[in-house]
Amino acid sequence: MSKQYETVIGLEVHVELATKTKIFCSCSTAFGGAPNTHTCPVCTGMPGALPVLNKQVVHYAAKMGKATGCTVNQLCKADRKNYFYPDLPKAYQISQFDVPICENGEVFFYVDGVKHSCRLERIHFEEDAGKLLHDEIDGTIVDFNRCGVPLIEMVTRPDLHSSAEAKEFLEMIKTTLSYLDICDCKMEEGSMRADVNLSVREVGSETFGTRTEMKNLNSFKAIARAIEGERERQIELLEEGRAVVQETRRWDDNKESSHAMRSKEDAKDYRYFPDPDLPPIDISDAWIASIRKAQPELKKAKSKRYQSEYGLSAYDADILTADKALAELFENTIKAGAAPKKAANWLTG
């Protein structure tokens, strides 16, 4: 009789924030510029160039933290994460380590009508790296336009157990970002992407298996296929009596397979230390209060209101509130004199 396996999944969700300028300089964050045209000495890591933190980044990160039930650390700091990649000009990334801006949140979502939750370990801000372009010339060039574009990274606990759960969790994150108006959520442009940490274990076991990481997946379909493919690969290894190696793997969605990139780094490998060029961040009580006061009505609350105020079914309310623009169209249609149920039927049909 074959063994039964449980999949254990944790996600690291990277979100490009919708600021006009980068996190530590005044260069544009606009997508699609010619290579290396949105750059300056700060974001290209020139010696002696000093970063200055973009206040809007802190504001957006705190907004997402409050929307996901996190504790916002009103005193936090920036840290240097040291590693070398060809598209990271300083050979370190400015991120946050032991004191992130937000901690201990929770996101609720539904799969086939059943309520699930996934805990957020942390939300921290950081700068994005550049990009290698392989088709611009007969070779490869490094484009630093994306260097310094502000990100928040949301790190979950290992609370997800299927590709369906991961997809619905990410849909809820995307919807929340849209309602908060802090990210354009254009996954095809890399505005939202996810790393998948996955392991398998026998059903009933309390011990985690060896996990692998698949990086920079930027569509829900690719994420679902990568989860299914990696689950099958790990189970096959275990069934053959072989060990799963802790490593970072690259998922090829065209071939629907993955291959090893490098051994997986741990925190100690990055040699974190506080960035000496950036002072600690002190968020006042008044600023937190203003964020709380300005928080819009989010999907969950809006869906409940549509059911109680307009008599809509839970199904129709869920469809109408899944997309911010559709919810706004629905409400404007009612303001123009339409009957709520007829407007809902027309828009959802």
Side-chain angles (χ1 to χ4, degrees):
M1 184 177 177
S2 61
K3 297 175 182 177
Q4 296 296 310
Y5 292 92
E6 177 188 41
T7 312
V8 180
I9 303 164
L11 298 176
E12 299 169 19
V13 186
H14 303 264
V15 174
E16 289 187 358
L17 298 176
T19 58
K20 299 293 185 184
T21 56
K22 294 184 180 181
I23 187 169
F24 298 121
C25 65
S26 58
C27 290
S28 171
T29 58
F31 178 80
N36 298 307
T37 54
H38 299 165
T39 58
C40 73
V42 174
C43 55
T44 54
M46 295 293 106
L50 294 175
V52 177
L53 180 59
N54 185 338
K55 184 178 180 180
Q56 193 70 42
V57 172
V58 179
H59 182 74
Y60 283 172
K63 279 181 74 173
M64 190 60 181
K66 297 306 281 185
T68 52
C70 289
T71 298
V72 177
N73 290 321
Q74 292 180 238
L75 185 63
C76 59
K77 62 185 175 69
D79 299 279
R80 290 188 182 182
K81 180 181 182 182
N82 296 274
Y83 61 102
F84 176 77
Y85 293 141
D87 53 2
L88 191 69
K90 299 192 294 285
Y92 65 85
Q93 178 191 41
I94 301 177
S95 181
Q96 292 188 291
F97 178 44
D98 53 330
V99 190
I101 188 167
C102 305
E103 293 181 288
N104 302 323
E106 191 166 14
V107 175
F108 297 93
F109 57 95
Y110 288 84
V111 179
D112 297 329
V114 179
K115 188 176 183 180
H116 294 259
S117 72
C118 181
R119 293 168 296 164
L120 285 177
E121 179 180 307
R122 58 191 280 136
I123 300 175
H124 63 262
F125 63 75
E126 62 186 20
E127 59 182 340
D128 209 346
K131 189 175 183 180
L132 297 179
L133 302 177
H134 304 290
D135 301 322
E136 302 290 321
I137 58 171
D138 184 17
T140 298
I141 61 174
V142 184
D143 180 11
F144 291 128
N145 280 351
R146 204 171 64 181
C147 278
V149 169
L151 301 175
I152 54 172
E153 180 176 342
M154 289 170 275
V155 182
T156 78
R157 300 285 186 181
D159 291 348
L160 303 169
H161 299 284
S162 69
S163 57
E165 288 183 21
K167 179 180 180 296
E168 292 304 322
F169 167 80
L170 289 167
E171 288 278 13
M172 183 56 72
I173 291 293
K174 184 179 179 183
T175 300
T176 304
L177 292 166
S178 175
Y179 272 92
L180 295 175
D181 202 24
I182 63 175
C183 175
D184 63 23
C185 298
K186 294 178 180 177
M187 296 185 75
E188 70 279 6
E189 295 181 3
S191 297
M192 180 178 168
R193 50 196 192 266
D195 300 344
V196 176
N197 293 282
L198 185 148
S199 65
V200 297
R201 63 185 177 187
E202 288 188 45
V203 172
S205 173
E206 296 296 320
T207 305
F208 288 118
T210 301
R211 65 185 171 93
T212 60
E213 180 182 36
M214 290 173 288
K215 295 188 74 69
N216 290 334
L217 299 162
N218 64 352
S219 80
F220 293 153
K221 288 183 178 179
I223 290 165
R225 285 193 286 262
I227 287 171
E228 294 298 328
E230 182 61 12
R231 168 187 160 81
E232 291 175 11
R233 188 189 74 86
Q234 290 192 18
I235 290 174
E236 187 176 318
L237 287 173
L238 295 175
E239 289 286 300
E240 293 173 355
R242 298 157 62 192
V244 176
V245 177
Q246 182 174 328
E247 61 190 359
T248 298
R249 300 183 65 84
R250 182 181 182 276
W251 174 255
D252 187 326
D253 204 42
N254 294 320
K255 297 179 181 178
E256 294 194 14
S257 63
S258 66
H259 62 265
M261 292 171 61
R262 59 181 183 273
S263 61
K264 171 64 181 152
E265 298 93 341
D266 289 316
K268 61 179 174 26
D269 299 315
Y270 292 124
R271 306 186 314 282
Y272 284 98
F273 64 89
D275 193 295
D277 295 330
L278 290 162
I281 301 146
D282 189 356
I283 302 174
S284 68
D285 292 338
W287 195 5
I288 291 293
S290 70
I291 290 172
R292 189 182 295 113
K293 185 177 179 180
Q295 201 82 301
E297 183 182 42
L298 298 176
K299 172 182 165 55
K300 182 179 176 182
K302 193 179 288 289
S303 178
K304 284 187 175 181
R305 180 170 65 83
Y306 283 6
Q307 293 173 59
S308 61
E309 188 174 330
Y310 302 131
L312 300 186
S313 68
Y315 176 79
D316 284 345
D318 189 58
I319 291 177
L320 289 169
T321 56
D323 182 84
K324 180 186 176 186
L326 185 60
E328 289 175 347
L329 178 59
F330 172 67
E331 293 185 14
N332 288 333
T333 305
I334 292 172
K335 287 177 183 176
K341 287 191 176 181
K342 286 186 177 180
N345 289 338
W346 188 80
L347 289 171
T348 58

